[in-house]
Amino acid sequence: MSDIENGLCYLCGKEGADSRDHVPPKAVLPKDYRSEGEDLITVPAHQRCNRDWKDDDEYFQTQIALAAFTAGDAGKALHSKVMRGLDREEATGLREHIDSGITGTTVLSPDGTVDHNYIQVKPDWQRLLDVIARTGRGIYYHETKNIIPLNVSEKPVVAEPDKIIPIFKSNTDHIRSFAGSSFKYISVMGEEEPHRCGYLFNFFDRLFFSVVFHDEEGSWRAV
Ligand SMILES: [Zn+2]
């Protein structure tokens, strides 16, 4: 724990930050692929502001891990760690929440016998997007040492792979990559629209999000 830059909490913007928070949540970056310092972004926060997010972070990690299963060794490492964690007694609530998003469908052959079963996982996207919005605020703070005021509205969305993969492919100079490419992002600063900035997030080349911060009143300037 080094400096707590100017004592402002990146979540509420008030003084007296007494801890540091990881953005994105540390748990999505597989341990064997990350190095302390280089791969972990931390920003000052109040413990009380930070603690509110613990369950959401765990849910986020689990959903990323489910998607990362086919994403090379780093993805498999995260997936198997998370699956082991779900067996814990304390994880019952989380497990049930995830199960509630899984639906099974049986496809029958013309003769009425079972052809195949498939399952579909439907995450609680809003819960994931809350983590994405917070990650955006944290990265902005990390890059600029400024806080995005709470009255600046945020718009986190799930990005379609077809649209976002080409952006990552054609902007390789602007990608910041962490923990063996487990997490990558691109900043989109609003040079033409100074009251707007945003980020594109890429987790394991499997799940993509964007978040835009926009000040309608124009009193805030992205730096
Ligand atoms: Zn705070």
Side-chain angles (χ1 to χ4, degrees):
M1 219 151 279
S2 57
D3 59 325
I4 294 185
E5 285 98 325
N6 53 15
L8 295 180
C9 167
Y10 86 102
L11 292 170
C12 70
K14 294 186 184 134
E15 289 179 356
D18 53 359
S19 70
R20 295 187 74 89
D21 192 12
H22 289 90
V23 287
K26 180 179 173 181
V28 299
L29 307 176
K31 209 171 174 191
D32 292 343
Y33 292 82
R34 69 185 191 224
S35 60
E36 200 76 33
E38 280 166 49
D39 284 323
L40 296 174
I41 300 174
T42 66
V43 285
H46 290 113
Q47 275 180 45
R48 62 169 185 271
C49 291
N50 202 340
R51 201 164 31 221
D52 293 345
W53 289 96
K54 204 174 149 281
D55 289 350
D56 284 354
D57 282 359
E58 196 175 2
Y59 182 75
F60 187 81
Q61 178 205 24
T62 306
Q63 294 297 341
I64 297 290
L66 289 171
F69 179 52
T70 57
D73 293 342
K76 286 196 185 80
L78 181 70
H79 185 268
S80 55
K81 177 184 171 277
V82 167
M83 291 305 117
R84 282 195 306 275
L86 282 178
D87 289 338
R88 289 172 304 143
E89 177 120 24
E90 315 87 89
T92 309
L94 176 65
R95 210 164 49 229
E96 284 170 4
H97 186 65
I98 289 165
D99 285 349
S100 71
I102 296 178
T103 46
T105 306
T106 301
V107 177
L108 298 178
S109 298
D111 64 2
T113 57
V114 174
D115 185 33
H116 62 276
N117 293 299
Y118 68 89
I119 60 162
Q120 213 176 5
V121 181
K122 212 170 161 205
D124 181 345
W125 288 113
Q126 192 49 55
R127 210 170 170 193
L128 301 183
L129 293 176
D130 288 347
V131 176
I132 290 300
R134 186 162 45 97
T135 298
R137 286 183 179 270
I139 288 180
Y140 183 83
Y141 186 96
H142 170 73
E143 290 192 334
T144 68
K145 303 293 177 257
N146 285 290
I147 286 172
I148 300 175
L150 286 176
N151 62 352
V152 171
S153 65
E154 54 202 24
K155 192 169 179 262
V157 298
V158 182
E160 288 173 37
D162 295 358
K163 289 190 181 140
I164 210 161
I165 289 171
I167 301 177
F168 273 88
K169 280 195 175 149
S170 57
N171 286 281
T172 47
D173 291 351
H174 299 106
I175 296 174
R176 294 213 53 205
S177 179
F178 300 84
S181 292
S182 303
F183 167 63
K184 292 180 270 197
Y185 77 84
I186 298 178
S187 308
V188 189
M189 283 296 154
E191 278 162 23
E192 279 151 35
E193 292 178 86
H195 310 297
R196 207 178 152 90
C197 78
Y199 297 98
L200 306 176
F201 295 139
N202 174 340
F203 293 91
F204 293 92
D205 290 324
R206 291 293 182 278
L207 272 180
F208 306 91
F209 301 91
S210 70
V211 59
V212 172
F213 296 94
H214 189 202
D215 176 15
E216 277 110 31
E217 292 162 22
S219 55
W220 169 73
R221 236 185 133 77
V223 287

